[in-house]
Amino acid sequence: MKLLILTKRSILAAAVCLLAGAAAVGVTVSSTTQAVQTAAAPKTNPIYRVESDKKQVAISFDAAWGDEETNRLLDILDRYDVKATFFLVGDWVEKYPNDVKTIAAKGHDIGNHSDTHPHMPQLSESRAAEEVTACNEKIEALTGSTPTLFRPPYGDYDNMVVNCVKSMGMYCVQWDVDSLDWKDPSPEQMCRTVLSKVKDGSIILMHNGAKNTPAALPSIIEGLKDKGYEIVLIKDLIPEGDYYTDVQGEFHLKQ
């Protein structure tokens, strides 16, 4: 009888151990599956550069804070008959409405750089959409045109941000050539940086408030033209049609 009781206890203990082990394995498998699924989720990239067989590039300026250099930049662009894309923050639009009108009147394109310059991935999708919509409305009220391009503040994005912008009928745009003007390099250094990295379909990043950008801009424009590049608006760099961006963020039309 004693032996029978011990055997039942042993069987019961073994069963408990087996159940616990199975549960542990189940948790491990479930966690591993979730991790694999997360890792396998494809990353959606913005447009860093456009696949092109044309000698074309685009110059862009981000405007988020002051406007001390804006008119100097516009005068230089006029002198060389070059059009650029200006990404404006909604708060900047409110502070400098006359500059917004001047940029548009001179034939430059105006893109959306959010309403308040937040880190977009930290927002909910609805808040991200509100940031884009609010800035679009401010720009449209002054220029009569709604932006078709969006550049995330700080270059900070995730799949939600890119897909949200696409769902609003806009292109999410970054850059593949950073002038690094925000680090205040010398005009010569800035020019070398841009001209050494540029290629067909490149998008160049500069800022309207960087102190040495006006001094560097003429040499950059002349250097690009010497290399045979035509400087166009980003929207004219992007061909119409269904597209995808590869792992490098290069824009390709779907075949």
Side-chain angles (χ1 to χ4, degrees):
M1 192 63 161
K2 229 179 210 187
L3 180 58
L4 182 60
I5 293 173
L6 287 174
T7 301
K8 286 182 178 178
R9 287 177 180 173
S10 299
I11 292 170
L12 181 59
V16 170
C17 288
L18 284 171
L19 288 172
V25 169
V27 169
T28 302
V29 170
S30 177
S31 300
T32 303
T33 301
Q34 290 175 357
V36 169
Q37 288 174 344
T38 301
K43 182 181 180 183
T44 306
N45 286 314
I47 301 168
Y48 281 80
R49 176 179 166 268
V50 176
E51 179 188 36
S52 177
D53 56 4
K54 298 179 181 178
K55 295 283 288 184
Q56 292 182 331
V57 296
I59 291 176
S60 64
F61 298 93
D62 287 0
W65 316 122
D67 76 331
E68 294 81 5
E69 308 295 347
T70 305
N71 287 323
R72 288 181 64 194
L73 294 171
L74 291 173
D75 288 343
I76 294 166
L77 293 170
D78 278 350
R79 191 192 320 156
Y80 287 93
D81 193 25
V82 167
K83 304 304 179 186
T85 304
F86 287 77
F87 287 93
L88 310 182
V89 171
D91 288 347
W92 194 92
V93 172
E94 285 188 327
K95 289 180 182 177
Y96 309 108
N98 290 333
D99 286 341
V100 177
K101 293 177 182 178
T102 300
I103 291 169
K106 288 181 176 290
H108 304 291
D109 192 33
I110 296 178
N112 184 320
H113 199 32
S114 81
D115 192 43
T116 63
H117 208 266
H119 286 277
M120 297 288 285
Q122 297 178 9
L123 307 179
S124 66
E125 186 170 353
S126 61
R127 276 291 299 123
E130 287 172 7
E131 280 283 330
V132 178
T133 299
C135 184
N136 274 353
E137 290 175 349
K138 291 175 182 178
I139 292 170
E140 184 181 12
L142 291 172
T143 67
S145 298
T146 303
T148 59
L149 308 177
F150 174 79
R151 174 170 286 164
Y154 311 104
D156 190 12
Y157 69 91
D158 59 8
N159 283 9
M160 179 276 290
V161 174
V162 178
N163 291 328
C164 176
V165 172
K166 281 186 175 181
S167 72
M168 300 175 77
M170 301 174 68
Y171 293 105
C172 192
V173 177
Q174 293 279 74
W175 60 87
D176 69 314
V177 179
D178 189 347
S179 69
L180 300 176
D181 58 354
W182 51 278
K183 289 186 174 182
D184 294 334
S186 69
E188 294 76 20
Q189 289 173 323
M190 200 184 309
C191 187
R192 282 197 300 271
T193 297
V194 171
L195 297 181
S196 66
K197 295 181 178 180
V198 74
K199 59 182 74 171
D200 296 354
S202 280
I203 298 172
I204 301 165
L205 170 67
M206 290 189 272
H207 296 80
N208 76 312
K211 68 179 183 180
N212 289 328
T213 300
L217 186 57
S219 296
I220 290 173
I221 292 174
E222 291 171 8
L224 291 172
K225 290 187 173 183
D226 287 344
K227 283 177 171 284
Y229 286 110
E230 178 189 8
I231 303 170
V232 301
L233 297 173
I234 294 176
K235 69 179 182 181
D236 293 332
L237 196 65
I238 300 174
E240 293 184 3
D242 197 11
Y243 73 97
Y244 68 95
T245 51
D246 63 23
V247 294
Q248 303 298 325
E250 185 172 308
F251 174 105
H252 302 273
L253 281 176
K254 291 183 177 178
Q255 300 300 319

